[in-house]
Amino acid sequence: FTEKRLAGQTVLMTAGPTFEPIDPVRGITNISSGKMGYALARACRDAGADVVLVSGPTALPPPVGVRTIPVTTALEMHEAVLAEVGRCSVFIGVAAVADYRVVNRAEHKIKKEGHEAPVIELVENPDILAFVANLPNAPFCVGFAAESQNLLEFADAKRRRKKVPLLVANLAQQAMGSDVNDVVLLDDAGTYPLPAADKREVAHAIVRHLAARLAARR
Ligand code: C5P
């Protein structure tokens, strides 16, 4: 990756899942290895960008040369993004953020003996990507959409609803935990299927497309 296509850019990213505690030993989460987000963070770094990665819990080592901010919950991820977003020119939301968090989180482990099944009360989490994309001086925003069906239709609706100029869509069943990914890019000009490849190559292809879109705006 000799071409520094993102030189001068500060890229803020989210990756991995979020974990929403129910009690000290249980929680709600999404299935996400963090592999695609981490690969993209490394690809942005290799393209010359300053990269800040806000990451939910993953088993991956933090990428070298990338400032990584570890978080657990969606609210923590939102706060970390808020603190950093003013300095960034590009925001990429790869994280699989839990849509809901538990309101009646128990201070101590919920015990089974002699109790009714607990009722878990949920409240919606903020949509971090939509929030950033709708800021008055929003950075260039890239979203991800993992769908299990009607990929292009659902992804395009999501892109318009969240007002993100570039969206990366994939079928969730194929990508989860895997080292390979098969994605389609969607922007105002159309849809661009990328060849199925390992996540490193897919990340580099996304960076090339992103850099071209940024250059076209100038
Ligand atoms: O709506 P959905 O979760 O499928 O949208 C996916 C995109 O929105 C991803 O880029 C994801 O990181 C972002 N997102 C977010 N905050 C949420 C939910 C999704 O930033 N609460």
Side-chain angles (χ1 to χ4, degrees):
F1 217 33
T2 48
E3 283 178 73
K4 300 292 184 198
R5 296 170 200 262
L6 295 181
Q9 304 285 347
T10 299
V11 177
L12 175 62
M13 299 185 52
T14 65
T18 69
F19 179 88
E20 313 295 333
I22 296 171
D23 72 10
V25 297
R26 305 182 180 92
I28 298 172
T29 191
N30 283 340
I31 300 174
S32 166
S33 66
K35 285 177 183 173
M36 191 64 239
Y38 278 51
L40 195 50
R42 288 191 293 266
C44 290
R45 172 203 67 194
D46 292 348
D50 265 339
V51 185
V52 180
L53 174 64
V54 180
S55 177
T58 74
L60 306 173
V64 174
V66 168
R67 184 153 65 89
T68 303
I69 304 172
V71 296
T72 303
T73 66
L75 286 185
E76 288 168 9
M77 185 172 274
H78 188 59
E79 266 175 43
V81 166
L82 273 183
E84 298 291 333
V85 72
R87 284 187 283 274
C88 76
S89 54
V90 175
F91 175 77
I92 311 178
V94 197
V97 183
D99 289 323
Y100 300 94
R101 67 179 175 278
V102 179
V103 194
N104 56 338
R105 174 178 171 180
E107 192 189 339
H108 293 289
K109 184 177 174 185
I110 299 167
K111 305 302 278 180
K112 194 167 147 191
E113 302 83 34
H115 287 285
E116 305 260 301
V119 176
I120 296 169
E121 228 182 290
L122 300 176
V123 64
E124 209 172 327
N125 273 326
D127 189 314
I128 301 167
L129 175 63
F131 175 85
V132 173
N134 287 283
L135 285 172
N137 285 315
F140 186 90
C141 286
V142 183
F144 272 67
E147 303 293 345
S148 64
Q149 58 172 342
N150 301 342
L151 181 63
L152 289 181
E153 185 196 327
F154 286 175
D156 197 50
K158 197 163 280 183
R159 192 179 77 84
R160 288 167 199 281
R161 179 161 44 83
K162 302 198 186 202
K163 297 198 175 69
V164 292
L166 177 60
L167 192 119
V168 182
N170 65 252
L171 283 171
Q173 307 89 305
Q174 290 167 7
M176 276 183 338
S178 167
D179 288 322
V180 294
N181 205 355
D182 186 359
V183 308
V184 183
L185 306 185
L186 295 92
D187 66 18
D188 288 334
T191 60
Y192 312 86
L194 298 184
D198 71 49
K199 286 179 176 174
R200 182 173 171 275
E201 281 173 58
V202 171
H204 283 222
I206 294 168
V207 166
R208 279 194 290 277
H209 195 89
L210 166 63
R213 284 296 313 265
L214 289 171
R217 282 200 321 168
R218 288 199 197 105

